[in-house]
Amino acid sequence: MSSNCNICPEWDCQKLEDFKNVWVVGEVDENGITEASLQMLTPASKIASKLNTKIIGVLVGYNVKRFANQFIEYGADEVIVLDDERLSMYSPHVYARAIAELAKDQKPAVIFISATMKGRELGPYVANTLRAGITADCTEFDVDEKTKDVLMIRPPFGAILLAYIKTPTRRPQVGTARPNVFKLPPRDPNRKGKVIEVKIKEIEKPKTRLISRKMLPISEVPIEKAELLVSGGKGLGTIEGFNMLKDLAKTLNAPVAGTRKAVDMGWIPHEKQVGQTGKSVKPILYIGVGLSGAAQHTFGIREAEVVLAINNDPNAPIFNQSDYGVVADFREVLPALIKELSELKNKLKAKGS
Amino acid sequence: MRIVVGMKWVPGTTSVRIDPKTGTLIREGVPSIVNPHDMPAVELSLRLKDKYKGEVIAISMAPPPALKGLEYLIGMGVDRGILVSDRAFAGADTLATSYVIAKTIEKINREIGKVDLVIFGQETIDSSTAHIGAQTASWLNWPYIYYVHDAKFVDSKFVVERVLEDAVEEWEVELPAIIATHMKALKPRPVRLINKIRYKVEKPIMTWTNAELKLDPRCIGLKGSPTIVSKTVNVPEVPRKKIVYTPKSGEDAAKWIIETLMKDDKASKVLMKYLSMEGEAQ
Ligand SMILES: Cc1cc2nc3c(=O)[nH]c(=O)nc-3n(C[C@H](O)[C@H](O)[C@H](O)COP(=O)(O)OP(=O)(O)OC[C@H]3O[C@@H](n4cnc5c(N)ncnc54)[C@H](O)[C@@H]3O)c2cc1C
Ligand SMILES: Nc1ncnc2c1ncn2[C@@H]1O[C@H](COP(=O)(O)O)[C@@H](O)[C@H]1O
């Protein structure tokens, strides 16, 4: 360590100007790079153009090189691939150390990782191994025009405030964002880019071993994929009330989501919770019934195009966050609405056949 | 086995107010609580102790009021608590916080006895970064598994079960290790009087300052934190039409809703699409 570098001895000294490029770490499943990872190319492209640098996709694993082109098609300029048999099984600490090793060598200025459940496990491990700062669950990224630091923007408490966080003295600057906070960039099958294969000397022996995986039943459309989403809150009162909402959903062929209180009541499982500690959804139409519109909840529907709310309290905050609001008791509205929609549905069917 | 469990003492309300002048959170007068997402972690540690014997040590890096939180955990059955507290730790981001926590675990390992397992909660309600578990594991170079909802020994191997978006997984984990629980993992047990009495008699909580930990001042607090908050702003509102209707009856409401949605380009398209779909999506 150079003597003019008066920092924590556990950290290595750095020259900030050595660090270039914006990395996007690719999480991979059987079908290739996950949509959540590809979404991170959207903020990467904004930041890379403001920093006048390249977007680099990073693939780490075994038998993953075949997916490199997906990164290019969705907007990466280059792809770095670490394809190694010793990485055939995902183990958080092994993958994290491998990615950190690559980053020590290649010196990216920025690393973006999608905050999927695996990403939230891996991201902070990668960052800390680099002794780098990390900001979780960002909703926007920008660049400080003067210093060229990346601004990581996130809601720190209850989604009421946004904090602008930066890392002025360390690189890389690591940030994560939840799935669906950013849109998938358009795919261009004709885009070309370099794919660079790299090796690292040491890959740790895993201290964790996956022994079984049971896929959860996916007979249902995941709420984050739905274009029409029906969602309920505590105001539905009882499971019978919630079932009324489910009937509406059935009529509409739409999946059901809910607030945290609906989850706490046991009406829906946690993976159907919308909001800051649940999921961000992006339906074209969001129908919220018996929910108050708490900031932590509406945080998850920022990307919804049209919001319809039914609530019997005219002062419920949700009416300020909706396009269309109906001040009424759901017990009166839902049966009538289900009836009208069923009739409409039958008319459409009759026309169709 | 010796289990360390991490606890954060956080403002307990969901209705946090903002100071209109400074734009910062008003924390005064807001009673603090044990971070709710740490409760499943505490419960898991106590269940493991019930089954396999040993001891559970709760740690919290925080100012002295957090003693109350540790006291609560002792009431649940945790054996002892360590408050890690020093003005020098103030202003820490998650990297500097996890550094202090990792060094605390090393000190426990040296002076109290070998630590087999560290359990953290899913995330804190006041910052919800979910960083501390992974970062602490990185400092110690221990394995880390997140979103755990069960753990047990199978043929003397430590096995944890965890959930992801689309799967439930079982992992064999070499100890020592760090795991963090899923917030819906386990229902916490209530405080018991007998444990409260034990607390009064034995005083099983100690405080470690940096005089005990002896950490380099450049690695802790503000100096040890690469990230800084440069400013905070109110969350910008999403522009919405805010058309509100008070109907005369349920039928009136239903008619208005359908008419209104049909007049909306985007809503009408998706409504027609979903209504014409065969079968059910749910
Ligand atoms: C750190 C943190 C993270 C959080 N994360 C999330 C999150 O991810 N998602 C989330 O949803 N919440 C989250 N919350 C909780 C959030 O603050 C609210 O408590 C929650 O969203 C409220 O749920 P609700 O709208 O169902 O219930 P309530 O706020 O109780 O609202 C019920 C509504 O129903 C209406 N109502 C009652 N009866 C009727 C009737 N007969 N007909 C019509 N309307 C009726 C009432 O007027 C009321 O507005 C979080 C909180 C914190 C502190
Ligand atoms: N100051 C702290 N002291 C002890 N444990 C902590 C502290 N902060 C966070 N933790 C633990 O780390 C978990 C994740 O916290 P966070 O990274 O802040 O979301 C929490 O659920 C706690 O178990």
Side-chain angles (χ1 to χ4, degrees):
Chain A
M1 195 200 312
S2 74
S3 55
N4 64 352
C5 166
N6 184 21
I7 55 172
C8 175
E10 308 259 5
W11 304 6
D12 55 319
C13 286
Q14 302 180 326
K15 280 213 244 54
L16 298 197
E17 59 278 17
D18 292 345
F19 291 77
K20 292 193 177 63
N21 300 327
V22 178
W23 277 18
V24 172
V25 175
E27 187 180 326
V28 164
D29 61 22
E30 308 75 53
N31 308 318
I33 304 172
T34 60
E35 182 175 339
S37 293
L38 294 171
Q39 287 169 351
M40 296 308 284
L41 290 166
T42 297
S45 130
K46 171 176 172 183
I47 300 306
S49 84
K50 290 202 174 198
L51 292 177
N52 200 10
T53 185
K54 280 184 294 198
I55 307 171
I56 301 193
V58 178
L59 280 178
V60 168
Y62 180 50
N63 214 357
V64 291
K65 195 188 161 201
R66 61 202 162 115
F67 300 134
N69 221 37
Q70 295 179 351
F71 255 143
I72 305 282
E73 288 174 2
Y74 282 96
D77 299 308
E78 287 172 14
V79 184
I80 294 176
V81 183
L82 172 63
D83 205 313
D84 194 305
E85 200 177 345
R86 290 170 293 177
L87 295 167
S88 58
M89 195 175 59
Y90 167 76
S91 232
H93 61 290
V94 177
Y95 269 53
R97 286 188 181 274
I99 296 165
E101 205 47 50
L102 284 182
K104 267 184 203 155
D105 191 48
Q106 310 257 342
K107 299 193 168 43
V110 183
I111 303 180
F112 286 150
I113 301 175
S114 173
T116 57
M117 290 171 101
K118 273 187 184 167
R120 294 182 106 220
E121 165 175 86
L122 192 70
Y125 209 124
V126 172
N128 198 85
T129 305
L130 293 165
R131 312 295 184 243
I134 169 167
T135 308
D137 300 346
C138 298
T139 50
E140 190 51 275
F141 299 98
D142 212 334
V143 170
D144 185 319
E145 287 302 332
K146 267 195 234 118
T147 61
K148 299 293 171 199
D149 292 323
V150 173
L151 296 167
M152 312 259 178
I153 305 170
R154 76 181 299 260
F157 195 129
I160 325 170
L161 284 179
L162 283 179
Y164 285 59
I165 293 170
K166 54 183 181 181
T167 318
T169 57
R170 287 295 288 174
R171 296 290 180 268
Q173 308 160 87
V174 188
T176 73
R178 295 285 190 106
N180 290 325
V181 167
F182 294 99
K183 290 206 169 74
L184 187 67
R187 172 170 173 255
D188 175 0
N190 300 319
R191 251 182 123 256
K192 296 273 171 290
K194 240 197 320 185
V195 176
I196 306 155
E197 273 201 83
V198 291
K199 291 272 165 239
I200 56 175
K201 256 192 249 116
E202 258 183 72
I203 292 178
E204 255 182 76
K205 247 187 76 208
K207 294 175 198 152
T208 55
R209 192 171 66 85
L210 180 67
I211 45 187
S212 78
R213 170 183 291 139
K214 247 197 341 253
M215 295 311 281
L216 294 169
I218 39 163
S219 52
E220 304 170 28
V221 178
I223 59 169
E224 62 271 33
K225 294 244 158 50
E227 292 183 332
L228 200 169
L229 192 58
V230 172
S231 181
K234 179 87 187 289
L236 294 166
T238 57
I239 184 75
E240 286 75 33
F242 201 83
N243 283 339
M244 211 185 262
L245 186 76
K246 280 193 174 160
D247 288 339
L248 171 67
K250 223 181 211 163
T251 315
L252 289 168
N253 299 313
V256 187
T259 65
R260 185 155 99 184
K261 284 195 184 170
V263 175
D264 289 342
M265 299 298 287
W267 298 336
I268 43 159
H270 178 245
E271 69 263 19
K272 305 216 173 219
Q273 179 184 316
V274 172
Q276 195 199 4
T277 47
K279 284 176 171 164
S280 283
V281 294
K282 46 171 187 187
I284 297 174
L285 175 59
Y286 185 83
I287 305 180
V289 185
L291 50 85
S292 60
Q296 296 88 4
H297 180 75
T298 52
F299 181 74
I301 58 170
R302 297 182 72 80
E303 291 289 323
E305 305 221 10
V306 180
V307 176
L308 166 74
I310 302 170
N311 192 310
N312 63 356
D313 173 7
N315 298 317
I318 189 65
F319 291 126
N320 271 321
Q321 314 262 349
S322 307
D323 296 289
Y324 309 114
V326 176
V327 185
D329 192 320
F330 78 91
R331 281 168 293 208
E332 286 173 22
V333 179
L334 291 190
L337 186 59
I338 291 167
K339 191 164 155 269
E340 293 271 340
L341 287 170
S342 303
E343 281 168 16
L344 192 59
K345 198 166 155 181
N346 288 336
K347 268 192 223 150
L348 287 171
K349 273 225 181 85
K351 235 181 31 198
S353 58
Chain B
M1 66 190 317
R2 182 169 292 99
I3 304 171
V4 170
V5 62
M7 184 275 287
K8 192 171 179 195
W9 188 239
V10 297
T13 172
T14 56
S15 55
V16 178
R17 287 168 309 133
I18 300 170
D19 185 328
K21 278 200 210 102
T22 61
T24 54
L25 296 172
I26 303 174
R27 298 203 179 205
E28 287 90 66
V30 179
S32 288
I33 53 168
V34 174
N35 173 41
H37 302 327
D38 294 346
M39 286 302 203
V42 176
E43 178 59 30
L44 181 59
S45 70
L46 292 174
R47 285 192 193 185
L48 287 169
K49 187 185 97 163
D50 292 345
K51 227 160 143 187
Y52 305 111
K53 304 287 177 289
E55 93 170 318
V56 176
I57 305 173
I59 60 171
S60 191
M61 181 189 118
L67 280 170
K68 268 220 153 120
L70 290 172
E71 185 184 328
Y72 187 89
L73 301 192
I74 303 270
M76 286 173 71
V78 164
D79 296 283
R80 48 174 140 184
I82 302 173
L83 178 75
V84 187
S85 193
D86 199 304
R87 271 175 197 280
F89 302 149
D93 71 0
T94 59
L95 188 109
T97 302
S98 65
Y99 183 67
V100 174
I101 289 175
K103 292 294 160 185
T104 303
I105 293 164
E106 283 180 354
K107 188 174 161 75
I108 295 172
N109 218 13
R110 277 195 313 269
E111 295 172 11
I112 298 178
K114 192 173 168 301
V115 174
D116 301 292
L117 182 66
V118 178
I119 312 182
F120 291 112
Q122 172 169 318
E123 60 196 45
T124 49
I125 62 165
D126 62 342
S127 61
S128 50
T129 66
H131 285 168
I132 299 295
Q135 287 173 321
T136 306
S138 160
W139 284 115
L140 297 170
N141 199 8
W142 289 5
Y144 175 61
I145 299 281
Y146 192 18
Y147 295 114
V148 170
H149 59 206
D150 197 14
K152 55 179 180 278
F153 284 94
V154 180
D155 302 330
S156 76
K157 299 218 161 80
F158 190 62
V159 174
V160 304
E161 196 173 292
R162 64 105 158 245
V163 286
L164 292 177
E165 288 92 348
D166 57 353
V168 177
E169 297 180 338
E170 268 185 313
W171 287 76
E172 189 185 303
V173 179
E174 221 173 87
L175 299 180
I178 299 191
I179 59 177
T181 48
H182 188 277
M183 66 184 184
K184 297 276 163 195
L186 299 161
K187 209 169 135 45
R189 64 193 62 190
V191 165
R192 289 179 60 202
L193 185 63
I194 174 116
N195 294 326
K196 280 174 96 170
I197 295 169
R198 209 193 116 236
Y199 174 79
K200 288 252 153 42
V201 180
E202 288 179 21
K203 306 230 175 327
I205 298 183
M206 53 184 161
T207 300
W208 286 354
T209 65
N210 205 32
E212 281 83 25
L213 283 167
K214 301 189 174 62
L215 305 178
D216 188 317
R218 293 169 299 179
C219 303
I220 57 178
L222 275 177
K223 279 223 172 77
S225 302
T227 60
I228 55 168
V229 178
S230 63
K231 66 169 175 180
T232 56
V233 300
N234 288 333
V235 173
E237 248 188 54
V238 181
R240 298 276 181 212
K241 292 201 181 77
K242 301 185 193 177
I243 298 169
V244 179
Y245 180 68
T246 307
K248 292 178 213 68
S249 64
E251 288 71 32
D252 182 31
K255 289 218 164 73
W256 184 83
I257 289 172
I258 293 177
E259 257 175 49
T260 308
L261 292 180
M262 283 307 176
K263 271 189 268 169
D264 184 299
D265 271 355
K266 288 176 188 154
S268 59
K269 263 193 211 123
V270 71
L271 196 61
M272 296 310 263
K273 176 174 164 189
Y274 269 65
L275 281 174
S276 343
M277 257 165 34
E278 285 300 324
E280 287 154 27
Q282 49 159 337

